[in-house]
Amino acid sequence: MTKVTYVRLSVMMAIAALTVGTVTIGGARQGPQNAVERVAQAAPQGAVASGQLVCGTKDLDEATATAIEAYTQRVLERSSGIFLTASKDVPVYVHRIHPSAGGGNATDQQVTDQISILNAAYGGSGFSFTLTLTTDTTNDAWYTATPGTSAETAMKSALRQGGSNALNVYLNNMGGGLLGWATFPSSYASNPIDDGVVVLYSSLPGGTAVPYNLGDTGTHEVGHWLGLYHTFQGGCAVANRRSLGGDLVADTPAEKSPAFGCPVGRDTCTGKGGKFPGLDPIHNFMDYTDDSCMFEFTVGQNDRMNAQWLAYR
């Protein structure tokens, strides 16, 4: 069974990615509380070094990942230039989880605003998002569910709706310093119930999770759901005729580690002869900068999302 879960945390420090063979998957957007200690305790032996932590969960083996990428590239090569000729309308099912004590989730207006944020971010990619249904459930275990737990499985098994093209968004108060997580499109066939994104309800537009309260945690996680890696995936991997770089997108500059805040002019991958052209992509939705700093996807990312959609959704 193939499952990829991306975790987004809320503490201001860089997180190392989890690497299996030559396939690098994982990472997190990190924040306050004791999240750092909890992640450190959960990390594999030897994973913590030089102040960096391994974060994220996965069981995607190297052979499967290689096959997924080979198929994606074949789709890209055969379909270049035709992706944006037709809009892809994505039905969205939003599931709000409430605690038994009452309160503690997004308003109808925040949900509507989140859909607007997604449409603004993905319009250039040919995707549009339509709110189909909002459900409300009271369940204390689901309200604080984290990735890979029985609570997550039970929540999704009970609530998920639609087919492979349907985006299911679960809003809860996950805790542990988390902002959200998502599955990849290639995982749908083997585990359709698991498909979707889980987002901290206070990260929706107008929420309290400052500086991550403008709706771009949702944008970021949907990027994973559509097949994108982080911009810092693989660190300073070289994009050349044999490789598209760490995130497998040719036009995103290489980035050694996640960026936080909005560090204009940051350039963590340098080398002679233009080996790593471009400053770090801090304005890209797939980095870890503040919501107010994020505003773009690249043409290559748009192509990748469309290829993954055509291949798996």
Side-chain angles (χ1 to χ4, degrees):
M1 181 177 293
T2 301
K3 176 183 178 181
V4 179
T5 302
Y6 266 95
V7 183
R8 204 179 187 214
L9 297 164
S10 58
V11 173
M12 297 290 216
M13 66 180 294
I15 306 296
L18 174 62
T19 305
V20 176
T22 59
V23 181
T24 305
I25 305 285
R29 187 178 181 182
Q30 249 209 325
Q33 309 162 352
N34 294 319
V36 175
E37 289 183 8
R38 283 194 286 271
V39 172
Q41 291 168 3
Q45 185 175 4
V48 181
S50 304
Q52 293 185 316
L53 307 177
V54 170
C55 185
T57 61
K58 61 171 287 298
D59 60 2
L60 183 68
D61 63 90
E62 184 176 350
T64 300
T66 300
I68 289 169
E69 294 312 324
Y71 186 37
T72 299
Q73 290 308 309
R74 287 198 299 273
V75 172
L76 276 168
E77 291 167 4
R78 289 200 297 262
S79 308
S80 180
I82 69 168
F83 289 138
L84 303 184
T85 58
S87 176
K88 291 157 286 294
D89 185 44
V90 180
V92 182
Y93 297 86
V94 175
H95 308 289
R96 294 184 294 204
I97 312 301
H98 303 270
S100 59
N105 216 299
T107 65
D108 289 345
Q109 186 61 57
Q110 285 179 297
V111 171
T112 298
D113 290 346
Q114 180 67 73
I115 299 299
S116 296
I117 291 293
L118 293 179
N119 279 314
Y122 288 94
S125 307
F127 292 96
S128 61
F129 299 84
T130 301
L131 181 61
T132 302
L133 181 68
T134 301
T135 69
D136 289 277
T137 303
T138 298
N139 188 302
D140 289 332
W142 299 356
Y143 186 63
T144 56
T146 50
T149 61
S150 58
E152 179 201 10
T153 300
M155 175 178 69
K156 291 180 173 180
S157 296
L159 299 178
R160 193 189 185 282
Q161 299 192 41
S164 60
N165 70 322
L167 171 62
N168 280 256
V169 180
Y170 304 86
L171 303 178
N172 73 355
N173 193 32
M174 55 197 70
L178 293 169
L179 285 170
W181 71 92
T183 57
F184 271 133
S186 53
S187 300
Y188 179 81
S190 63
N191 193 4
I193 288 298
D194 191 47
D195 187 66
V197 306
V198 186
V199 175
L200 181 69
Y201 81 88
S202 55
S203 73
L204 267 65
T208 59
V210 180
Y212 312 116
N213 64 335
L214 302 180
D216 284 328
T217 289
T219 304
H220 180 101
E221 299 305 339
V222 171
H224 291 317
W225 185 78
L226 289 171
L228 295 182
Y229 294 113
H230 294 126
T231 52
F232 50 85
Q233 189 79 17
C236 297
V238 180
N240 54 38
R241 65 185 179 85
R242 292 173 307 207
S243 171
L244 294 174
D247 68 347
L248 303 178
V249 177
D251 61 356
T252 55
E255 184 177 27
K256 186 176 182 178
S257 60
F260 298 93
C262 195
V264 176
R266 184 178 191 252
D267 192 5
T268 56
C269 295
T270 60
K272 295 181 179 179
K275 184 178 181 181
F276 298 107
L279 299 175
D280 289 358
I282 65 166
H283 300 303
N284 198 284
F285 288 118
M286 302 313 294
D287 207 335
Y288 281 167
T289 48
D290 293 352
D291 281 12
S292 61
C293 191
M294 295 178 165
F295 58 77
E296 66 184 2
F297 289 115
T298 67
V299 172
Q301 285 176 315
N302 290 344
D303 283 347
R304 179 175 176 81
M305 287 187 281
N306 277 276
Q308 292 265 312
W309 179 269
L310 187 58
Y312 300 109
R313 294 201 183 281

